[in-house]
Amino acid sequence: MIKFLADEDFNNRILRGLLRRQPGLDILRIQDTSLAGTPDSVVLEWAAQQDRVLLTHDVSTMTKHAYARLRLGKKMAGIIEVSQSVAIGSVIDDLLLIAGTSTPEEFENRVEYLPL
């Protein structure tokens, strides 16, 4: 099962909706770790060590750091970039589809974008 890490700016309404529909979903918020306020590169390193796919709305800087990691040959658990203009219900549906049908290996070293 895929484990998720939600970036600090990730919409909490999406997280609440995900957990309402699938209470057993393994999703952790950065605010609930010691990572709060740390640079994106540190977040990506921690997510890689914990095998957690990062959920973020930060298309600019997080993506830049992700591709920098890959250029250096460093492992990445994966990132799912979520557009803030997409309806919350659609994001929840897409993330639940991913959680229910994908494996963690499918996201390794990849940046994916929602909506699907």
Side-chain angles (χ1 to χ4, degrees):
M1 176 184 241
I2 292 180
K3 299 184 297 185
F4 293 111
L5 175 65
D7 198 2
E8 279 186 272
D9 69 340
F10 200 73
N11 188 328
N12 281 315
R13 291 181 293 169
I14 294 171
L15 299 176
R16 284 191 301 272
L18 286 168
L19 292 171
R20 270 191 212 112
R21 290 190 40 202
Q22 189 172 339
L25 189 65
D26 189 341
I27 190 163
L28 181 63
R29 297 178 331 139
I30 285 181
Q31 296 91 315
D32 298 328
T33 71
S34 61
L35 297 171
T38 61
D40 291 347
S41 58
V42 174
V43 170
L44 287 170
E45 178 65 31
W46 191 88
Q49 291 172 359
Q50 301 297 315
D51 293 318
R52 289 190 175 272
V53 175
L54 182 67
L55 303 174
T56 187
H57 296 297
D58 184 358
V59 177
S60 58
T61 62
M62 192 59 80
T63 303
K64 178 183 84 173
H65 289 289
Y67 287 127
R69 279 185 69 78
L70 295 177
R71 279 192 300 279
L72 294 171
K74 293 182 178 181
K75 177 187 175 237
M76 186 173 68
I79 295 179
I80 299 176
E81 298 272 0
V82 179
S83 171
Q84 292 187 23
S85 64
V86 179
I88 290 173
S90 294
V91 173
I92 292 168
D93 289 343
D94 284 353
L95 289 173
L96 289 176
L97 178 66
I98 289 168
T101 62
S102 301
T103 64
E105 295 78 24
E106 291 177 82
F107 286 88
E108 277 184 19
N109 301 322
R110 296 183 62 171
V111 177
E112 297 292 333
Y113 297 88
L114 290 186
L116 293 174

